[in-house]
Amino acid sequence: MERETGHAMWAVDERQTGTFIGQCGLRPVDEGAGPEIEMAYHYTRASWNKGYGTEAVIAVLAHGLGQVGLDRVIAVAMAENIGSWRVMEKAGMRDQGIASYYGLAGLKKYVAERDWRRPPPPAPARSA
């Protein structure tokens, strides 16, 4: 896929064990509605809520909007998939409302554009 379109999904492995936990990457949107590039990810349930998704999305956005030179990257999620849209928000993507893609209506759409910047790390907790 990367040779054909310039974009691909990459395997995501847990750093300490090398265990495959999912995939994340860029791919063309198959809607024929223009040259949109989608950032997509899928993870095993056991890897949820550990920060892997956010870490990978930030790296993929930096690659796509930096080295690859894309002007804009989108991402979509089922409206009820709160965990998925929280990952996009933590990565600094902006909510663009509800959209239809892949024959599915009611998807939440997020966008990151060339001026996207990785969100700053959270401030350290202060002790009292």
Side-chain angles (χ1 to χ4, degrees), residues 92-115:
M93 296 185 83
R94 293 187 322 272
D95 185 346
Q96 296 291 293
I98 303 300
S100 296
Y101 284 87
Y102 307 107
L104 300 170
L107 299 174
K108 284 194 60 113
K109 180 178 181 178
Y110 286 80
V111 173
E113 294 176 329
R114 184 168 288 272
D115 63 354

Side-chain angles (χ1 to χ4, degrees), residues 36-66:
E36 288 188 301
I37 301 297
E38 176 185 22
M39 188 277 312
Y41 50 89
H42 311 280
Y43 292 93
T44 60
R45 187 174 295 270
S47 67
W48 291 2
N49 298 312
K50 296 182 179 177
Y52 299 130
T54 302
E55 181 180 352
V57 167
I58 289 170
V60 168
L61 288 174
H63 174 73
L65 297 168

